[in-house]
Each structure stands twice: as structure tokens, then as C-alpha cells.
Amino acid sequence: MKGDPSRREFVSRSAVFPFAAKAALADTSPPIIDTHMHLFDKTRPEGAPYPPSVPGGGEPPQGMISLPNRYKAIVTPLGVVGAIVVEASPRLEDNQWILDQAANAPIIVGYVGRLDPADPAFGANLARFRQNKLFLGIRQGHLDLGLDKPDYIANLALLANADCTLDVDTPRHGG
């Protein structure tokens, strides 16, 4: 057939395939999202309970403040394009502080807050924070302490009905 290339033409045309494949794959590599990082500023007037203080004090500056711009500078060269903040503080208003920090930080793509399902105000707090599109769910330690209480279970149902996640923090007990 006249339209079929010769063997030499076929081989010479095929030589570009590896380069074309490499270029195509380079454009389709998935973005890297860090799914667990913390923001904090221990220099705020109210301080921050996380990270725990270094025994004897004298915390290095990197142990005092972790904000989106610092995080972005560290991870961007590694190919990280976004992060989900996971709350380490049990203080209710620290949820708002994180959301305020994330408001103008495109590197922050989500937030797992800290609300206590045993708190009678859980539903109102969930509704408040869920208004922010970055709020994805809650982190809860000691989940076992409430599983036998109907109000606790009802609050977990509110969480599920709000299409939120439940991140169970399972700290080590003992040594």
C-alpha cells in the first residue's frame, strides 16, 4: 500500500514517542497535598497550647510560630501545592483563628477543626464553622468516652449529616 510508511520511516517517526510520553506524563502528575499539618503562634497574647513547651523554656523560633507563608516556603520546593490543617488545640476559638489564617493563604485547602461532641453547644458550633468551605470536619481524641451517650452519638450524626469527616486522634497511653 502506498500510504504505509517504510520500515525506516516508521522507526524514525517512532523515535519521538518516548519524548512525547514524557511530556504528556509531566503535565498530568497529580498535585501533592499534605493532609496533616499544624498552624500555631505561641507569641499571640493568648498563646497556643501546641506544640507543648520545651522543658526549661528557650524554645527555638521555629517552635514558636508556624503560619501559612512559612509553611509554603518550606514545602513548595518539594512539590507540595496544598495542605489540610489539623487542629491540635482544644480551645474553641482557635478554630476561628486557623480559619482566619487560612482565608488569604491558597496553600491551605482544608481544615479539620476541634469540636467536642460531648459539648451541648456542638450543633451550634458545627453550624458556625461549617459555613466556611475550608472546614471539613473535626479531630476528636478519646472517642470511646462518649460512645455510650445518646447526645454524643446524636452529635456525631450531625457531623455526618453535615458531610464532615471525623479524624480520631488515638494518643498512646503509657510508655
Side-chain angles (χ1 to χ4, degrees):
M1 296 177 120
K2 188 171 182 191
D4 291 339
S6 69
R7 196 173 106 201
R8 180 172 288 184
E9 289 172 321
F10 176 78
V11 170
S12 67
R13 289 179 190 169
S14 299
V16 300
F17 288 156
F19 300 107
K22 184 177 180 181
L25 290 174
D27 292 338
T28 60
S29 60
I32 299 171
I33 304 292
D34 180 347
T35 62
H36 188 127
M37 61 86 66
H38 298 287
L39 295 179
F40 54 87
D41 182 353
K42 293 186 83 158
T43 66
R44 293 187 294 160
E46 63 275 18
Y50 179 87
S53 295
V54 174
E59 293 154 350
Q62 66 269 23
M64 301 288 286
I65 300 171
S66 176
L67 298 176
N69 285 341
R70 178 175 179 258
Y71 174 79
K72 182 179 178 183
I74 294 167
V75 301
T76 299
L78 304 173
V80 175
V81 298
I84 297 173
V85 178
V86 177
E87 185 56 82
S89 170
R91 300 185 311 203
L92 178 66
E93 290 309 315
D94 282 355
N95 289 286
Q96 188 60 54
W97 183 82
I98 296 286
L99 291 169
D100 291 345
Q101 299 304 307
N104 296 309
I107 190 95
I108 307 301
V109 298
Y111 173 58
V112 175
R114 190 105 175 232
L115 303 177
D116 183 358
D119 183 348
F122 179 84
N125 291 331
L126 177 63
R128 170 188 169 193
F129 293 115
R130 189 65 178 124
Q131 290 177 18
N132 188 308
K133 66 181 176 134
L134 293 176
F135 190 89
L136 304 175
I138 65 167
R139 179 183 203 197
Q140 176 62 21
H142 305 291
L143 190 63
D144 57 318
L145 299 179
L147 294 178
D148 59 343
K149 297 174 179 65
D151 290 346
Y152 193 94
I153 297 298
N155 284 337
L156 291 179
L158 285 176
L159 185 71
N161 291 336
D163 199 26
C164 288
T165 65
L166 174 62
D167 174 32
V168 181
D169 181 15
T170 53
R172 283 178 266 145
H173 297 285

